[in-house]
Amino acid sequence: MAESGNGKPKTELLDELEKGPWPSFVKEIKAASAGNDACDDLLGQLELSYEERRGHWKHGGIVGVLGYGGGVIGRYSDVPEKFPKVAHFHTMRVNHPAGWFYTSEALRTICDIWERHGSGLTNMHGSTGDIILLGTTTEHLEPAFQELTHAGFDLGGSGSAVRTPNCCVGMARCEWACFDSMKLCYELTQHYQDELHRPAFPYKFKFKFSACPNDCVASIARADMSVIGTWKDDIQVDEAEVANYAAAGFDIQKDVCELCPSKAVSWDGKKLDILNSECVHCMHCINVMPKALRPGKERGAVILIGSKAPIMQGALLSSVLVPFVPAEELLDTLKELVTRIWDFWDEYGTNRERIGELIQRVGLPAFLDGIGLDPAPEMVSAPRDNPFIFFQTKEEES
Amino acid sequence: MSTTPIMPKRLTDVGPPHYEKYLHPMAKANYGKWKYHESLAPGVLCHVGESGDRLYTVRAGTARLMSVQSIRKIAALADKYCGGYLRFTSRNNIEFLLTDAANIEPLKAELLQIGYPVGGTKNSISSIVHTQGWLHCHSAATDASGIVKAVMDPLYERFTHQNLPGKLRIALACCVNMCGAVHCSDIAILGIHRTPPHVHKDVLTKQCEIPTLISSCPTGAIRAVPGAAKDVEVIDEQCMYCGNCYTVCPAMEMNNPDNDGLSIWVGGKVSNARTAPAFSKLAVPFLPNNPPRWPEVVEAVVKIVDVYAAHARKYERMGEWIERVGWPRFFQLTGFEFTRHHIDDFKHAGLTYARSTHIRY
């Protein structure tokens, strides 16, 4: 390997990314190299990628810890002769605490374990939510895992399994939480430990819990099962605070009424009037007048299904499956619904077919029949506009 | 790497730690009983409980890739100012949770001193959600951290100030697998391959299951070579370079330095505020991989941000603004060329063809 003279690899291109005001990942890798020289080879290999404009990691291999089928992503260099210290450079996914809350003590515990058993590099956090511990060798996986579980942490999901469920900050620090997203996320994660650690599905299955329609964890775009908080009754209005907003020069007509998607809010200069029966619960008025408006008191969530990134048949957003579930019934409803959905997916899903793509393939009506849910107008943006109805499928049964 | 302490008993399936262990005492006391919040300054929030308690949040951007050395520095700051309590956000920011407003400015000063920008709240650009890239992924068409750094340097003040019309969320994924699920972002930077897989026959015979490989192709572009025991061929014109075949079979190499690169997408969102969640749409079909600073990508993203900042109305997200003024205007204002690649020809393509005479002249 080309060396700069002090035993460190030459990193002329990467050094450029130490400049500038935004935090530099190159500085992070160099900092970690003080504790682990694999980081030098990591920089060396990345510099080579920058020079050649191509990646140098081999296709993942099957490595892991005893009894689990996931949680570790095997990673091997395709130029191990140049960079032997990253010949094996596996990733461990560690299930983060719900809401990503930590104490300094908990962070230091993870750091100590990862310094003993890995490169000292992390992602805080990965895209699905896990703590990502980047770079170790096969023989360190099991010891690192045991230290993690004894410290109260466990691996996250990978492969065709339940992926680490994820949620927004919810009731811990947000006035808009319509259900307890952290509690639900934690309880379902514990409930599905077997499905999370031992892949047995056609493909991955993700849960994301956002406690209001602002959807801070992108549940509607990134979860096979999206749970998004909402409310059924009237928006709570503090009239004195509405008056304060107006008095402070906030333009309620322009910034609230005219931007309401269903034109359900009106303002006569004195009183804010909300036609709650036409409110679509978009959150705009509440977002811009947080002191004056709050979600109603009858709270719960919408359950939606099927979102995913483009592989294989194109990206999907989740669509409505259950228009409203009261907050206190969410845990039981989800467990029951998920059992039926997984049964259907096991039966009809093909290899690497996400639940959303299966629904696209067989059609939502057949999926609803399969899981025993009645159709509801909230499930569609409009009824069908073509006349090609398969009448016989449902009629034969009745 | 030193020796492991002796473990008394092997533990598995313990699941994540219970969040209550790490909750700030004030978050615990006001759990589910928060009343409202205010934005005190860029990167500084104050949540007020029904109890009257005030919990302050100071948000700082990170590189996402963090060394244990840096995490310990962050932990020390949390000890000094927050009783040790902190959290991370869904966009890889750190949030320090404070009860004493007098600690806000000293904490901000220390954060800036060790290189962490404070901001990312309200109408700013928050940290760029991104993937591993060449740093740690086998299927990456580009790097991730490098482009993020290159893009955020000139946009630094858009993070530390709240002067955009609405919030602006940027995401980067280094291939169409989209671990960074960029498909619903105001601006998405997406690594793409543009050449069909190069089949390594030696690897194919040793490591791949042919039927699985053939069925992995969403467009049916991979077929068995008639008469050959274990061989496949790719129908080039049917390939859309998704790399799904490579994921199931390492013989199908996708990397190609000259043809791999970036595409830019705009106007997606996940929030339900005002308009429904939406996918990002194609703005620029291809830009080259040009490390270490990807100037073509940086220029395109900064251009989009500037045009949006100059033309959108208050609260309008990127997609809402474009929807109002129309796509022709977007291409005119940004100067990006509209090409045949912008017109969908995949599934449900017709849904994006203009089916009215609503045209702005």
Side-chain angles (χ1 to χ4, degrees):
Chain A
M1 128 181 70
E3 290 188 0
S4 58
N6 56 358
K8 304 280 183 193
K10 248 170 75 175
T11 51
E12 277 168 20
L13 294 172
L14 288 170
D15 291 349
E16 178 59 34
L17 293 171
E18 289 189 78
K19 301 169 191 163
W22 189 254
S24 165
F25 72 101
V26 178
K27 284 186 187 166
E28 293 295 318
I29 304 174
K30 289 190 175 177
S33 87
N36 187 315
D37 53 11
C39 296
D40 292 332
D41 276 11
L42 180 67
L43 278 172
Q45 181 175 311
L46 188 59
E47 179 78 5
L48 183 67
S49 285
Y50 273 44
E51 284 166 5
E52 297 180 350
R53 296 173 294 134
R54 55 159 295 158
H56 278 291
W57 295 105
K58 274 205 285 204
H59 200 274
I62 297 170
V63 284
V65 300
L66 198 63
Y68 280 14
V72 180
I73 315 301
R75 198 62 82 217
Y76 302 87
S77 170
D78 74 359
V79 278
E81 64 290 349
K82 284 188 184 145
F83 305 105
K85 290 173 209 138
V86 291
H88 299 200
F89 203 66
H90 312 317
T91 297
M92 299 184 85
R93 290 185 184 159
V94 178
N95 197 328
H96 63 295
W100 296 288
F101 282 92
Y102 295 92
T103 56
S104 51
E105 192 56 43
L107 287 180
R108 277 190 285 263
T109 300
I110 292 166
C111 289
D112 293 350
I113 294 171
W114 195 233
E115 206 164 38
R116 280 195 285 278
H117 293 295
S119 70
L121 288 173
T122 75
N123 289 144
M124 299 298 282
H125 293 79
S127 288
T128 301
D130 302 273
I131 302 162
I132 304 293
L133 303 179
L134 283 174
T136 193
T137 53
T138 309
E139 64 271 20
H140 275 281
L141 294 172
E142 180 65 24
F145 171 59
Q146 280 310 299
E147 283 210 50
L148 285 164
T149 53
H150 281 83
F153 285 89
D154 200 343
L155 298 186
S158 69
S160 297
V162 167
R163 297 301 186 87
T164 303
N166 200 2
C167 67
C168 70
V169 69
M171 292 188 169
R173 203 208 48 196
C174 184
E175 67 272 26
W176 298 327
C178 293
F179 69 93
D180 192 342
S181 54
M182 296 202 336
K183 183 164 188 271
L184 190 63
C185 184
Y186 175 77
E187 289 184 351
L188 282 173
T189 307
Q190 291 294 354
H191 184 71
Y192 293 126
Q193 280 295 293
D194 193 33
E195 290 82 355
L196 194 153
H197 297 305
R198 295 165 194 93
F201 294 147
Y203 204 7
K204 62 185 92 170
F205 195 90
K206 298 187 176 189
F207 289 93
K208 290 189 194 294
F209 307 95
S210 281
C212 89
N214 282 325
D215 197 359
C216 285
V217 288
S219 177
I220 203 160
R222 308 186 55 178
D224 299 276
M225 170 108 334
S226 313
V227 182
I228 302 178
T230 191
W231 65 96
K232 262 188 140 169
D233 56 344
D234 295 355
I235 290 175
Q236 302 182 65
V237 183
D238 182 332
E239 295 198 11
E241 289 292 351
V242 173
N244 286 342
Y245 274 104
F250 182 74
D251 191 338
I252 295 178
Q253 178 60 34
K254 188 160 178 270
D255 292 341
V256 179
C257 304
E258 289 172 19
L259 294 177
C260 173
S262 56
K263 299 289 174 278
V265 187
S266 51
W267 167 249
D268 62 4
K270 284 181 193 138
K271 193 173 174 348
L272 190 75
D273 195 30
I274 302 177
L275 188 54
N276 280 283
S277 58
E278 290 181 12
C279 167
V280 295
H281 309 90
C282 85
M283 289 298 291
H284 174 75
C285 61
I286 297 174
N287 286 344
V288 300
M289 300 173 78
K291 281 187 178 176
L293 305 179
R294 301 171 77 185
K297 291 177 176 171
E298 191 184 346
R299 298 182 180 191
V302 188
I303 298 176
L304 307 93
I305 189 156
S307 67
K308 54 178 286 295
I311 298 291
M312 304 174 30
Q313 302 284 345
L316 294 171
L317 286 161
S318 282
S319 68
V320 174
L321 192 62
V322 186
F324 187 81
V325 181
E328 60 280 7
E329 294 172 20
L330 269 171
L331 181 63
D332 290 341
T333 303
L334 279 168
K335 283 183 187 169
E336 166 68 27
L337 199 55
V338 164
T339 303
R340 295 195 224 165
I341 290 167
W342 286 350
D343 280 349
F344 186 84
W345 193 31
D346 276 348
E347 188 69 27
Y348 300 105
T350 61
N351 185 32
R352 287 172 67 76
E353 185 174 46
R354 297 279 286 268
I355 191 72
E357 289 185 343
L358 171 59
I359 296 171
Q360 292 281 309
R361 179 162 63 83
V362 302
L364 183 60
F367 176 70
L368 293 175
D369 291 346
I371 64 166
L373 265 193
D374 289 332
E378 288 87 352
M379 294 174 181
V380 295
S381 58
R384 76 163 72 221
D385 55 14
N386 67 69
F388 309 125
I389 307 169
F390 292 95
F391 278 107
Q392 66 278 19
T393 47
K394 198 65 184 154
E395 260 61 26
E396 272 171 7
E397 291 165 24
S398 51
Chain B
M1 299 190 195
S2 58
T3 9
T4 312
I6 305 292
M7 294 293 150
K9 178 174 170 274
R10 191 169 189 273
L11 285 179
T12 73
D13 296 80
V14 299
H18 197 289
Y19 51 90
E20 272 185 8
K21 274 171 75 177
Y22 304 140
L23 271 190
H24 191 290
M26 194 180 273
K28 216 182 267 185
N30 293 275
Y31 199 91
K33 291 180 281 189
W34 294 102
K35 195 171 176 195
Y36 67 91
H37 75 276
E38 333 177 77
S39 166
L40 303 183
V44 185
L45 302 171
C46 172
H47 286 81
V48 181
E50 283 163 9
S51 61
D53 282 352
R54 297 171 80 83
L55 183 63
Y56 301 95
T57 296
V58 172
R59 182 182 293 178
T62 73
R64 184 177 88 122
L65 181 80
M66 294 186 81
S67 61
V68 293
Q69 288 80 0
S70 291
I71 297 173
R72 289 191 182 112
K73 280 187 200 167
I74 295 300
L77 283 181
D79 284 337
K80 187 169 173 187
Y81 294 108
C82 315
Y85 295 97
L86 73 168
R87 69 177 293 267
F88 291 80
T89 73
S90 54
R91 305 196 78 86
N92 315 115
N93 300 300
I94 308 168
E95 290 189 336
F96 295 86
L97 305 169
L98 302 85
T99 49
D100 185 354
N103 277 334
I104 294 172
E105 289 308 318
L107 170 60
K108 280 167 73 174
E110 282 209 49
L111 281 167
L112 286 175
Q113 206 181 355
I114 59 171
Y116 292 94
V118 173
T121 47
K122 301 288 166 190
N123 296 348
S124 65
I125 294 179
S126 189
S127 294
I128 299 183
V129 166
H130 60 283
T131 55
Q132 302 291 12
W134 290 333
L135 184 86
H136 207 243
C137 185
H138 65 286
S139 64
T142 186
D143 192 34
S145 314
I147 301 177
V148 166
K149 166 74 177 151
V151 168
M152 282 310 285
D153 275 339
L155 292 176
Y156 183 87
E157 302 222 327
R158 298 287 191 190
F159 181 88
T160 58
H161 292 71
Q162 301 176 147
N163 54 11
L164 287 164
K167 50 173 74 169
L168 203 154
R169 300 293 174 251
I170 308 179
L172 180 148
C174 52
C175 82
V176 294
N177 268 312
M178 281 195 198
C179 300
V182 301
H183 56 292
C184 294
S185 307
D186 294 292
I187 301 177
I189 307 167
L190 175 65
I192 49 169
H193 299 289
R194 292 190 306 164
T195 33
H198 172 70
V199 186
H200 293 270
K201 308 273 181 191
D202 50 329
V203 182
L204 185 72
T205 50
K206 282 186 217 131
Q207 295 188 29
C208 304
E209 194 185 310
I210 302 296
T212 308
L213 169 60
I214 291 173
S215 68
S216 74
C217 180
T219 62
I222 302 171
R223 63 185 175 197
V225 176
K230 203 175 177 188
D231 198 4
V232 297
E233 60 187 6
V234 179
I235 308 160
D236 285 359
E237 54 273 25
Q238 240 166 279
C239 176
M240 57 181 187
Y241 334 113
C242 72
N244 203 43
C245 56
Y246 179 62
T247 305
V248 303
C249 165
M252 311 296 283
E253 193 190 346
M254 298 299 301
N255 284 337
N256 182 310
D258 292 327
N259 279 308
D260 294 348
L262 287 308
S263 54
I264 312 279
W265 307 69
V266 296
K269 72 198 268 277
V270 294
S271 147
N272 283 273
R274 299 170 302 284
T275 51
F279 289 127
S280 311
K281 278 94 178 167
L282 184 63
V284 183
F286 183 77
L287 293 168
N289 261 325
N290 195 358
R293 285 214 167 255
W294 282 269
E296 297 85 354
V297 176
V298 172
E299 189 192 354
V301 173
V302 171
K303 167 64 106 180
I304 295 166
V305 172
D306 287 346
V307 168
Y308 162 73
H311 295 272
R313 289 179 185 162
K314 193 176 170 189
Y315 299 121
E316 265 179 346
R317 295 281 294 263
M318 180 78 67
E320 295 171 283
W321 162 62
I322 298 173
E323 194 62 32
R324 177 170 60 79
V325 302
W327 285 96
R329 185 105 174 108
F330 170 82
F331 284 96
Q332 183 199 9
L333 287 170
T334 54
F336 299 140
E337 187 190 357
F338 185 83
T339 69
R340 68 187 301 283
H341 299 311
H342 289 87
I343 303 174
D344 196 357
D345 53 6
F346 195 56
K347 282 173 104 186
H348 314 304
L351 295 174
T352 57
Y353 301 164
R355 297 180 295 179
S356 80
T357 56
H358 294 187
I359 298 173
R360 297 163 181 83
Y361 296 103

